Amino acid sequence: MSLRTGLMAALFATSALPAFGYANETRDATSRHVLNFDDVEMSSLIADVSVVTGYTFVVHPDARTKRVTVNSSVPFTREGVFEVFLSTLRVHGFVAIPSGKDTYRIIPENSGISESSLRSTGGNSFVTEIVKLDNFRALEAAQMVKPLIDAQGMVVANAKSNTLVVVDYASNLPRILSLVADLDRDQTRTETLALKNVPAAELQTILTTLNQRGGEDSFSSNFTVVAAPTGNSIVVRGDELAVSRALSVAQTLDQSDRVEDTLRVISLNNADASEIVPILEKVADAISARRGDFSPDAVPSTIAHHGPTNSLVISAPTETLLTLERVITDLDRRRAQVLVEAIIVEMSDDTARELGLRFLLSGTGSSAVPFATTNFSRSAPNLLALAGAISSGPPTTTAGTNPFTSSAINSLLGLSGLTLGAGGRDGDTLFGAVLTAVENDTNSRILSKPFNLTLDNGKSSLLVGQEVPIVTGEVLGEGNANPFRTVERKEIGLSLNVTPRISTDDSVRLDIEQEVSSIANVVGIATQDLVFNTRKIETSILADNGEIIVIGGLIEQSETVTEEKVPFLGDIPFAGRLFRSQGKARVRTNLMVFIRPTVVRNQNEAREATSRSYRYIRAEELWQGEAGQANSLDAFVSEVLGSPPPQ
């Protein structure tokens, strides 16, 4: 029976009892209420609880028809009534979810888990708790906690952040959180053991090997060991039992007396044994001087190296031997490498023009025609040689060749552009004229990417080009006999010399020698000598790992105008073109050199650098449609190297 029904019954003088009885007349927060519901619909309970608590409830349709029974023999406060109400909902599979100020939604329990809040509104409300684990793995903790979660609750583990997300009733959360706290307690043990006879690095290797082998008698990877060479100690951390067993093994091995053990053969992995010997000799002498071992009975220190196996052979007192082993361990570390990539961009535009007119007029024999000619050094062919070939007639030399004819033919072979000529012989008079015109326009765009991979503080050189022969001298004997010629070869192409030095902040200092050279094409100059173009940079720079920076460049534009003419006559307007030869050349050059150093410290970084370059070549092969051929890059690598291509 509801409270409103009881009040109405009292007004009509009935004997019906109210569902809520009041211990006092006030109904504030301190009021006391006695619950008395016997097989009533839940909608009636919700309505009466709303009157007592002042809360507004939005009820799911499935909750209205449920019948409930709630009886109490002691009075409750308003908060107590609300807790009993939440427990009643939980028993019948429903939950109250906050939905604003003094407002709750009553929905099925299986739907309430997705709408749980981060704060508790009572022991019978769904609450979401996020737990950060420091020492225990979240995935394992979730498996152990899951059986304790309510059937409608859940637990989710995030392995990346090592956290647990728990959704459950507020009354059950303290037990869950207590269990997680016990699991996350650090139960490892850390011990330090000072060694007297065995080197710390050697003992670290032994214990680590035992730890990784597995099996019934192994330590099951439950501890880690770190060597401290400075104090010749080891630090062991792990489970109590595993640490105790590791320390027992270490102490047993350290009990052996190494006083008589004064000989060592140490193989090096990275350093050059011949380079380390002088350093070790100085260290051994310093140790002997500090201890004052100058007596005749003192054991001298002897250090030698074996080149084929890259090993050191050391005979020294025990203390000296232990110190030298620590020095060797520090010097024999794997050196980092540096991949130096240079990008050379050169764009040029060269143009050249030349226009000239030459003429000849001469008399032969008894002709009274005077000799007159114009000739310019930059023009071909040789007009005088042509005139001599015409005037000399048939061959007269013993060899059967007219020397003027040979000279004329040679000058004609060097022609370029347009050449127009006219001439002849009229009695004893020779006449002729030659017009030459040539224009050259060259546009070039050169992109180069030389790259070197070298060790830290190691020098690397790269040269891609040709050796061009250059005649440096000729000698002829008497009568032009026994000719002798000296030739020097010059390397032409692209070269890159780099010496990198890696700093502690991962920046790289680079000593660079970069040169690009080529043979120049010269227009309008009749010469057999070679002219070379050279771009050279020598510098030292500082760059961050993976950073692209510019190391040098050139932006140049030059124009050259060359004019040869007959004095006074060449200056006559319009007609002066008959007495002069003009040439004009313009050169524009844009050159930039960029460089990027990449530090390669381990196998994975070296593999990535190799794969990046291999993928570029592979893409070029695919672009040209040559990947399916029998001699493709992948097939060639597999057949020649016997291993799969880089991935």
Side-chain angles (χ1 to χ4, degrees), residues 202-516:
E202 180 180 337
L203 190 56
Q204 178 192 18
T205 303
I206 295 174
L207 295 178
T208 302
T209 303
L210 291 175
N211 195 24
Q212 294 175 349
R213 283 191 173 180
E216 183 178 356
D217 297 331
S218 69
F219 300 126
S220 303
S221 299
N222 290 330
F223 77 92
T224 56
V225 56
V226 179
T230 304
N232 196 35
S233 304
I234 59 171
V235 180
V236 185
R237 184 179 185 273
D239 295 343
E240 180 76 22
L241 179 59
V243 172
S244 298
R245 298 178 64 183
L247 291 177
S248 177
V249 173
Q251 291 170 352
T252 302
L253 293 176
D254 194 44
Q255 291 175 359
S256 59
D257 190 3
R258 295 182 55 189
V259 175
E260 300 299 330
D261 189 3
T262 60
L263 182 64
R264 281 287 183 275
V265 178
I266 303 175
S267 298
L268 303 181
N269 297 320
N270 303 291
D272 189 348
S274 61
E275 296 178 356
I276 294 182
V277 169
I279 300 175
L280 298 180
E281 289 177 344
K282 293 182 179 180
V283 173
D285 293 342
I287 295 175
S288 298
R290 185 177 67 250
R291 291 181 359 191
D293 293 342
F294 299 107
S295 62
D297 297 334
V299 179
S301 299
T302 303
I303 304 172
H305 75 279
H306 184 239
T309 59
N310 194 35
S311 302
L312 293 170
V313 182
I314 304 175
S315 176
T318 304
E319 180 183 352
T320 303
L321 193 59
L322 292 175
T323 304
L324 295 181
E325 286 179 343
R326 293 198 296 267
V327 173
I328 294 171
T329 301
D330 292 337
L331 295 179
D332 194 34
R333 294 178 179 175
R334 176 180 177 137
R335 293 168 60 187
Q337 302 179 89
V338 180
L339 176 64
V340 181
E341 300 171 281
I343 300 177
I344 304 172
V345 183
E346 181 175 357
M347 293 176 288
S348 62
D349 182 9
D350 301 342
T351 59
R353 298 177 183 178
E354 185 169 347
L355 178 65
L357 176 65
R358 289 163 297 150
F359 64 87
L360 178 143
L361 180 65
S362 175
T364 60
S366 59
S367 174
V369 177
F371 174 80
T373 182
T374 58
N375 196 18
F376 306 107
S377 61
R378 296 176 52 86
S379 302
N382 192 327
L383 188 58
L384 297 179
L386 293 176
I390 296 175
S391 63
S392 299
T396 58
T397 60
T398 305
T401 302
N402 188 338
F404 292 103
T405 303
S406 300
S407 178
I409 293 174
N410 291 334
S411 65
L412 290 173
L413 293 177
L415 293 179
S416 60
L418 175 66
T419 302
L420 298 177
R425 183 169 182 174
D426 184 9
D428 292 336
T429 302
L430 291 177
F431 62 91
V434 176
L435 173 67
T436 58
V438 60
E439 180 176 354
N440 186 33
D441 191 352
T442 302
N443 292 319
S444 63
R445 183 172 181 264
I446 303 174
L447 300 176
S448 303
K449 184 198 170 186
F451 58 92
N452 292 5
L453 179 63
T454 181
L455 288 173
D456 182 24
N457 287 310
K459 185 176 182 180
S460 177
S461 299
L462 173 68
L463 174 63
V464 179
Q466 297 176 321
E467 288 190 348
V468 178
I470 303 174
V471 178
T472 58
E474 288 183 329
V475 177
L476 296 177
E478 295 181 359
N480 295 335
N482 298 324
F484 179 77
R485 176 178 297 178
T486 58
V487 178
E488 177 183 352
R489 295 188 177 272
K490 179 179 178 62
E491 293 179 346
I492 300 299
L494 188 149
S495 66
L496 175 64
N497 299 323
V498 180
T499 302
R501 294 177 178 85
I502 304 175
S503 303
T504 55
D505 58 353
D506 221 22
S507 61
V508 183
R509 176 184 172 181
L510 300 170
D511 296 332
I512 302 173
E513 296 181 9
Q514 171 73 58
E515 181 176 353
V516 179

Side-chain angles (χ1 to χ4, degrees), residues 16-172:
L17 294 176
F20 280 100
Y22 300 99
N24 51 39
E25 295 181 357
T26 60
R27 298 189 181 185
D28 56 11
T30 61
S31 299
R32 313 288 290 186
H33 310 275
V34 178
L35 285 73
N36 187 12
F37 294 91
D38 186 9
D39 194 25
V40 299
E41 290 186 352
M42 186 177 290
S43 59
S44 298
L45 174 64
I46 295 172
D48 289 347
V49 171
S50 177
V51 172
V52 172
T53 60
Y55 296 151
T56 301
F57 297 103
V58 180
V59 186
H60 192 275
D62 295 341
R64 295 182 180 276
T65 58
K66 292 286 184 179
R67 304 193 69 84
V68 298
T69 299
V70 180
N71 296 303
S72 67
S73 58
V74 295
F76 291 93
T77 63
R78 186 176 65 178
E79 288 76 12
V81 171
F82 187 64
E83 285 296 327
V84 173
F85 173 65
L86 293 178
S87 298
T88 305
L89 293 178
R90 180 176 178 181
V91 169
H92 291 84
F94 293 89
V95 65
I97 302 298
S99 182
K101 183 178 181 181
D102 296 336
T103 303
Y104 290 86
R105 288 187 297 118
I106 299 177
I107 59 177
E109 192 178 36
N110 54 3
S111 301
I113 187 173
S114 61
E115 302 185 32
S116 61
S117 63
L118 294 177
R119 60 183 180 87
S120 174
T121 58
N124 294 295
S125 61
F126 270 120
V127 178
T128 300
E129 188 78 25
I130 301 175
V131 184
K132 178 70 171 67
L133 303 180
D134 297 324
N135 303 294
F136 203 80
R137 290 195 299 178
L139 293 176
E140 296 181 2
Q143 296 176 358
M144 300 178 68
V145 169
K146 189 174 182 180
L148 304 178
I149 300 292
D150 187 84
Q152 300 301 328
M154 70 174 184
V155 57
V156 179
N158 188 336
K160 187 174 182 180
S161 61
N162 201 41
T163 56
L164 289 178
V165 179
V166 182
V167 182
D168 202 351
Y169 284 103
S171 60
N172 195 35

